[in-house]
Amino acid sequence: MRLRALLESDRLGLRLLSGEAELDRPVRGVMTTDLRDPSRYLRGGELVLTGLAWWRGPADADPFVRTLVDAGVAGLAAGEVEFGAVPDELAVTCAQHGLPLFAVAEEVGFAELTEHVVRQVSGERAGDLAAVVDRHRRLMSAGPAGEGPRAVLALLASDLDLSAWLLTATGREIAGATDDPLPPGVGPALAAGQLAALRAGRPGPHRVEPPAGQGVYSVFAVRGDEAAPGATPLADWLLAVHADAADWPSERLDLLAGVADLVAAERDRREAARGVRRRLAGQILDLVTAGAAPAEMAARLRVAASVPLPGGGDPDWQVVVAELRDPGGESASGPAARAVLEELLWDPTSPETGCAVAHTEAEAVALVPVCRLAEAGTAGAPLRAEAIAGAISRPLAAGLGDGARLTLGVSAAVSSAGGLRGALEEARHARRVAAARGGAVSVAGHEELASHVLLLPFVPDDVRRAFTERLLAPLRAYDERNNAALLPTLKVFLEEDGSWTRCAARLHLHVNTLRYRIGRVEQLTGRDLRRLEDAVDFLLALRLE
């Protein structure tokens, strides 16, 4: 906008005191100050607002005006509240230095003036930025994937002062405008809020306010090809902006929607690049199912692991099986499960690496190259069920409809093609264990197949209720009457393997108090926790509850 536009607004009621010849200066921002020297906060092109609290006399005019002129500001607007009028000496000094000066009447608030300028400037800058984004669109569509998304986010930061991030459906960061990542926990919170809003049918962009005072974010959906088999919001990307878009002008909303569409083209490109790995995974799955010789699968595995893992050498392989059931729980979608599984197992920081995922009508099967020597949490490390569950449960549960479920099973790592058949069966068994539990999202690993945990989900409900009622009902009733905390104490005692000192320290109790409580448990149930059989019964009852 130009300074002249400020005088054309009747609502603002500004009066020009000097600088009529300079009214065609462009305004790039607005800044309010009462500092005698605000130079450190000026970048040039601002309309400076001041309440004149710095004014002590005529001698103050020249240093202040020189500071603004040296910084390259567009103009100065001074309020009349402090002195009833703008001092004449200030008007004369501004005229001498060619600085436009406006008088702001008492009834006009600086907040109102600031809002007017910001709206005008942001709308014009959004239009300019839209042209730049369009050029990026053409460049990205003509060339290979690369820094495209990051470059566009950097434009939002530099031209509109918008901090923006590109996230997966579970809140993992793909790219940001700067090297500063989102604060811990914000990504999953944004993803959960976005998926919940989509499930409720609310129009975007969606306003999400993460916990712990992290501010307000506006989230735009980055949709892939909705006609593709298995397309699901559970595998979409998100464009998150650290701002509240509720009051944005239509130009800025249209710009962000265009950026989301631009990034969607990058997502579609990556989706197409997965075709080779998908075909390989499908061929390997067919060979495993048919009981083919390992040599027939080995060559395809080598191609599927085309990117070397840290440390070099041939990778081991893990199998992950996923099933995604609809809200009625009646049917499962293999293509949709494949789309979700690919996003879950894809490394956003290394887009060229990843797993090979195939699907049947009802399930998805991923072949994941891993390095057994890699430390947990590093690139190429073996997958663990609890780590996967911790990362995905909250966001995906928010996006699943009532009654819909996502269940996953993770196998142990095998070192050759010959072990894939066993790994596939192990992953399917683990998935069935996960399905037998509650929750919208459930993950089980191979470790649970060699534990009593494998058996517990398949205990009939009537047997489960009878067993737990007989052992735990007396303790529950006693706790309700006396607030004695016998059940929590028993649970911690068993978790600490019957150690009196560790259990007492964890519960912040004196050992004698702990002995009294355990003794009361034994009296009420007729069991002896020194006997292995009785301790195991209590452990199973607590796990079945």
Side-chain angles (χ1 to χ4, degrees):
M1 65 173 293
R2 305 285 174 175
L3 284 174
R4 190 179 306 278
L6 296 173
L7 296 175
E8 296 171 355
S9 174
D10 295 334
R11 183 168 60 89
L12 297 178
L14 299 183
R15 291 183 293 109
L16 181 66
L17 302 182
S18 70
E20 184 175 359
E22 303 293 334
L23 290 179
D24 286 329
R25 288 185 180 183
V27 179
R28 297 186 178 87
V30 62
M31 184 260 196
T32 301
T33 184
D34 273 313
L35 296 174
R36 300 173 68 84
D37 181 6
S39 57
R40 72 181 68 181
Y41 304 108
L42 298 172
R43 294 182 297 177
E46 297 94 344
L47 173 67
V48 175
L49 310 181
T50 180
L52 297 175
W54 51 271
W55 180 273
R56 294 294 181 269
D60 293 334
D62 192 72
F64 183 79
V65 173
R66 283 183 181 274
T67 297
L68 301 188
V69 171
D70 291 343
V73 304
L76 173 65
E80 296 182 324
V81 175
E82 185 77 13
F83 301 105
V86 177
D88 293 337
E89 294 84 354
L90 180 59
V92 171
T93 304
C94 286
Q96 291 173 348
H97 289 281
L99 180 66
L101 174 64
F102 299 88
V104 183
E106 292 186 24
E107 61 270 16
V108 179
F110 279 3
E112 182 181 2
L113 181 54
T114 299
E115 182 181 0
H116 176 83
V117 174
V118 168
R119 283 183 179 274
Q120 294 295 322
V121 171
S122 64
E124 294 171 3
R125 290 167 69 184
D128 294 338
L129 185 57
V132 179
V133 169
D134 186 62
R135 290 198 297 273
H136 273 72
R137 184 192 310 276
R138 293 195 296 270
L139 287 172
M140 290 176 66
S141 62
E147 288 297 313
R150 188 178 297 278
V152 175
L153 298 182
L155 280 174
L156 294 178
S158 62
D159 283 44
L160 291 184
D161 296 326
L162 290 178
S163 298
W165 294 265
L166 185 61
L167 309 174
T168 68
T170 57
R172 293 181 299 155
E173 188 171 327
I174 300 170
T178 66
D179 293 332
D180 296 329
L182 281 168
V186 170
L190 296 178
Q194 169 76 353
L195 287 170
L198 289 174
R199 194 180 81 179
R202 298 198 298 271
H206 299 120
R207 184 181 188 275
V208 181
E209 190 169 356
Q214 299 290 351
V216 175
Y217 292 77
S218 297
V219 185
F220 298 76
V222 179
R223 306 301 302 268
D225 182 2
E226 298 185 30
T232 170
L234 299 177
D236 285 340
W237 287 358
L238 318 174
L239 176 62
V241 181
H242 197 184
D244 190 347
D247 296 326
W248 280 5
S250 59
E251 294 89 353
R252 179 170 286 200
L253 289 172
D254 291 343
L255 171 63
L256 268 294
V259 171
D261 290 341
L262 175 59
V263 175
E266 175 72 7
R267 185 183 185 280
D268 289 340
R269 179 181 290 108
R270 182 179 55 77
E271 180 79 5
R274 285 175 170 165
V276 173
R277 280 199 175 94
R278 286 173 177 170
R279 288 193 295 273
L280 285 170
Q283 294 168 7
I284 294 170
L285 181 60
D286 290 341
L287 292 172
V288 170
T289 303
E296 293 186 60
M297 295 178 277
R300 292 176 174 83
L301 282 176
R302 283 193 292 271
V303 176
S306 57
V307 179
L309 290 170
D314 293 331
D316 291 346
W317 293 89
Q318 281 182 282
V319 177
V320 181
V321 173
E323 184 182 89
L324 181 61
R325 288 196 169 271
D326 62 21
E330 298 298 328
S331 61
S333 171
R338 182 196 66 188
V340 175
L341 198 53
E342 284 175 335
E343 290 300 325
L344 294 182
L345 301 179
W346 172 61
D347 182 0
T349 64
S350 183
E352 295 303 319
T353 63
C355 56
V357 186
H359 71 85
T360 64
E361 184 178 346
E363 69 177 8
V365 179
L367 305 173
V368 186
V370 298
C371 176
R372 285 195 179 188
L373 300 179
E375 297 182 0
T378 62
L383 300 172
R384 296 188 63 84
E386 60 269 21
I388 297 175
I392 69 173
S393 293
R394 180 185 175 191
L396 294 187
L400 290 166
D402 295 338
R405 298 198 67 201
L406 174 67
T407 53
L408 298 96
V410 183
S411 79
V414 295
S415 59
S416 67
L420 285 181
R421 185 180 183 87
L424 177 60
E425 290 303 315
E426 191 173 59
R428 282 173 170 164
H429 280 306
R431 195 209 62 77
R432 284 192 285 270
V433 171
R437 298 171 179 163
V441 179
S442 183
V443 187
H446 61 91
E447 305 91 346
E448 301 180 46
L449 302 184
S451 165
H452 66 275
V453 176
L454 172 64
L455 304 176
L456 296 184
F458 303 102
V459 175
D461 289 342
D462 55 344
V463 176
R464 178 193 301 261
R465 286 193 295 270
F467 182 70
T468 57
E469 186 71 13
R470 181 172 300 176
L471 271 178
L472 304 182
L475 305 181
R476 190 178 297 109
Y478 188 87
D479 282 347
E480 291 174 355
R481 291 194 307 269
N482 302 284
N483 195 25
L486 296 186
L487 270 175
T489 302
L490 174 62
K491 182 178 179 180
V492 174
F493 184 72
L494 294 173
E495 289 175 353
E496 295 297 340
D497 301 321
S499 169
W500 297 103
T501 54
R502 290 201 306 270
C503 182
R506 183 171 162 185
L507 292 173
H508 305 289
L509 297 175
H510 192 279
V511 173
N512 289 342
T513 303
L514 176 61
R515 291 185 182 276
Y516 171 80
R517 290 188 182 179
I518 296 300
R520 177 63 68 182
V521 168
E522 293 174 334
Q523 292 173 6
L524 291 169
T525 60
R527 301 297 186 105
D528 185 349
L529 281 164
R530 292 172 297 182
R531 298 179 65 246
L532 177 62
E533 293 88 344
D534 288 346
V536 169
D537 283 348
F538 276 120
L539 177 64
L540 293 176
L542 289 169
R543 293 285 175 85
L544 284 169
E545 198 177 25

